[in-house]
């Protein structure tokens, strides 16, 4: 699948076997940044990479900072290639965010190839070109737009993801499908069991369809000024949940909860029928595994977290809601979300999830 960007055209390939790694190893002037856990799990794939061309990185939010980026820049200065260097990074969204930033600023931009090893990175973040670093207590405050030259998705690697991380990725897969409309929702209802079983061809199919769906938005609005903002469906609430729980709840899971909250508000406003809401919830609840007391925070904390979300442009609360539903979902950026609606959506989710467990 080809992605058009004003910076470059780049391609995502869904790989069937490991031969692409052999091709990558044959390239000259490469420098690898690999998620340490992935390196340990798949040592045989990386065994021939010379030590001086390799940096192993633990995928933690604490490491997603400018200091780590500078350390990697420093390592790259030590290989002879300079501007001809190609950075190859292997890992999930954390590794992607750091290495995309490095590739962008190093010599004002070096070649970058990304191998996403989490479902979340493969189905969502690997395209779109956003790079992000956390700064002080602000998540993703620093960042640029810089897509890789090529993305190789090798879904076989997802079999070693923890349930927590795998289901987090499913949260985003479900998001794209629910946004897409009735067919997407039906697809999800029919395939969620296979996805939970990690059936390889089902994963490949949903990664491809998620990326194809996202591609339309990023190609229409690469720099997140208009149409692309709709991809933030459920994210205002998701980001708040991540923040108030100190990121114990992973991104895609928080987005799944955020979808239930957003759809509840859409239901109260009579934008969305109870039938669609219930059917979506049935799918979503299958990927949400959380300790409910984590959400037991005051409404003030949620409101503070939402206001800090850098996408909130003014005092009024903004969120993307589904505003009508049919062959495709109609999404709108709403600027009039009230504190009462948010409180009601949190209460609603807590009650719903409480009944599940
Ligand atoms: N740039 C973007 O557009 C964008 C979009 C969404 C999220 N993000 C960022 O992505 C990050 C979350 O990324 P993520 O959910 O992909 O995961 P991650 O990078 O946080 O990794 C999650 C865990 O999975 C492990 N792991 C990775 N691949 C594995 C594999 N194949 N087998 C076993 N374990 C593996 C990691 O070591 C880590 O412990 C957040 O920092 C978020 O802000 C960025
Ligand atoms: Zn997301």
């Amino acid at each position: 699948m080809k992605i058009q960007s004003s910076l470059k055209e780049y391609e995502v390939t869904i790989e069937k076997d490991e031969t692409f790694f052999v091709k990558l190893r044959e390239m000259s002037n490469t420098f690898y940044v690999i998620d340490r856990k992935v390196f340990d799990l798949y040592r045989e794939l990386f065994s021939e990479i010379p030590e001086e061309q390799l940096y192993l990185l633990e995928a933690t939010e604490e490491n997603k900072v400018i200091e780590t980026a500078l350390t990697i820049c420093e390592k790259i200065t030590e290989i002879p290639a300079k501007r001809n260097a190609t950075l190859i990074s292997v890992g999930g969204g954390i590794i992607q965010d750091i290495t995309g930033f490095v590739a962008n600023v190093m010599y004002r931009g070096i070649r970058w190839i990304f191998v996403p090893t989490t479902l979340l990175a493969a189905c969502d973040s690997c395209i779109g070109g956003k790079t992000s670093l956390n700064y002080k207590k602000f998540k993703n405050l620093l960042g640029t737009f810089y897509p890789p030259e090529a993305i190789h998705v090798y879904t076989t690697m997802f079999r070693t993801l923890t349930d927590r991380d795998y289901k987090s990725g499913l949260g985003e897969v479900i998001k794209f499908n629910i946004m897409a409309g009735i067919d997407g929702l039906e697809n999800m209802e029919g395939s969620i069991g296979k996805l939970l079983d990690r059936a390889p061809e089902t994963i490949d199919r949903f990664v491809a369809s998620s990326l194809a769906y996202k591609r339309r938005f990023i190609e229409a609005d690469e720099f997140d000024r208009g149409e692309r903002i709709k991809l933030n469906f459920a994210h205002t609430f998701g980001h708040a949940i991540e923040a108030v729980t100190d990121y114990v709840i992973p991104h895609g899971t928080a987005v799944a909860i955020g979808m239930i909250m957003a759809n509840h508000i859409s239901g109260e406003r009579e934008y969305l029928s109870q039938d669609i809401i219930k059917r979506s919830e049935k799918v979503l609840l299958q990927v949400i595994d959380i300790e409910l007391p984590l959400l037991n925070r005051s409404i003030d904390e949620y409101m503070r977290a939402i206001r800090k979300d850098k996408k909130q442009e003014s005092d009024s609360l903004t969120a993307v809601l589904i505003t009508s539903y049919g062959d495709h979902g109609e999404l709108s950026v709403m600027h009039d979300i009230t504190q009462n609606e948010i409180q009601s959506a949190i209460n609603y989710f807590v009650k719903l999830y409480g009944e599940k467990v």
Side-chain angles (χ1 to χ4, degrees), residues 180-278:
I182 286 285
D183 287 354
L185 178 57
E186 276 173 11
N187 263 339
M188 241 21 270
E189 290 172 323
S191 301
I192 187 67
K194 279 194 173 156
L195 282 170
L196 285 166
D197 289 343
R198 308 195 194 192
E201 54 303 336
T202 314
I203 300 178
D204 282 1
R205 187 154 56 82
F206 275 87
V207 167
S209 64
S210 298
L211 292 176
Y213 184 78
K214 178 171 177 175
R215 177 174 61 174
R216 283 191 287 186
F217 290 85
I218 58 176
E219 287 188 344
D221 171 28
E222 183 170 6
F223 300 111
D224 218 357
R225 304 271 183 255
E227 200 58 14
R228 183 170 176 177
I229 294 174
K230 292 181 184 168
L231 291 176
N232 259 344
F233 171 49
H235 278 63
T236 298
F237 310 119
H239 287 153
I241 287 163
E242 286 183 277
V244 301
T245 62
D246 274 332
Y247 300 92
V248 172
I249 297 183
H251 179 74
T253 307
V255 168
I257 299 170
M259 257 181 281
I260 293 180
M261 292 173 62
N263 284 355
H264 171 71
I265 297 175
S266 290
E268 294 289 287
R269 292 182 175 208
E270 297 182 5
Y271 300 152
L272 202 52
S273 72
Q274 286 305 315
D275 173 54
I276 297 295
I277 293 175
K278 289 290 157 206

Side-chain angles (χ1 to χ4, degrees), residues 36-176:
R36 184 179 288 280
K37 207 186 271 178
V38 173
F39 182 84
D40 286 339
L41 284 165
Y42 299 93
R43 269 173 188 275
E44 71 288 358
L45 286 178
F46 309 116
S47 57
E48 285 169 25
I49 302 169
E51 206 181 313
E52 62 280 10
Q53 285 166 243
L54 175 64
Y55 186 75
L56 299 183
L57 182 56
E58 229 161 285
T60 61
E61 289 293 335
E62 293 70 37
N63 279 345
K64 205 175 95 171
V65 290
I66 191 87
E67 289 77 9
T68 310
L70 293 176
T71 304
I72 297 169
C73 288
E74 176 95 28
K75 294 270 175 205
I76 295 174
T77 61
E78 288 164 15
I79 64 167
K82 308 296 172 232
R83 298 186 60 164
N84 285 328
T86 299
L87 177 61
I88 300 177
S89 55
V90 184
I94 290 184
I95 304 299
Q96 176 196 336
D97 273 349
I98 301 170
T99 54
F101 186 88
V102 167
N104 189 182
V105 301
M106 193 75 204
Y107 305 121
R108 297 198 186 84
I110 57 171
R111 265 192 305 280
W112 172 38
I113 294 170
F114 180 50
V115 181
T117 62
T118 62
L119 176 59
L120 184 128
C123 78
D124 181 7
S125 66
C126 70
I127 63 168
K130 286 187 183 173
T131 83
S132 306
L133 297 174
N134 303 328
Y135 181 69
K136 297 195 172 161
K137 57 186 190 313
F138 300 101
K139 187 164 156 69
N140 295 340
L141 183 94
L142 306 177
T144 64
F145 283 96
Y146 194 72
E149 305 269 319
I151 297 159
H152 299 276
V153 179
Y154 184 39
T155 54
T156 305
M157 287 176 123
F158 304 165
R159 63 168 191 252
T160 49
L161 287 169
T162 60
D163 263 356
R164 170 190 186 271
D165 292 312
Y166 183 72
K167 286 183 172 173
S168 170
L170 284 182
E172 295 281 11
V173 171
I174 298 172
K175 181 197 81 173
F176 290 125

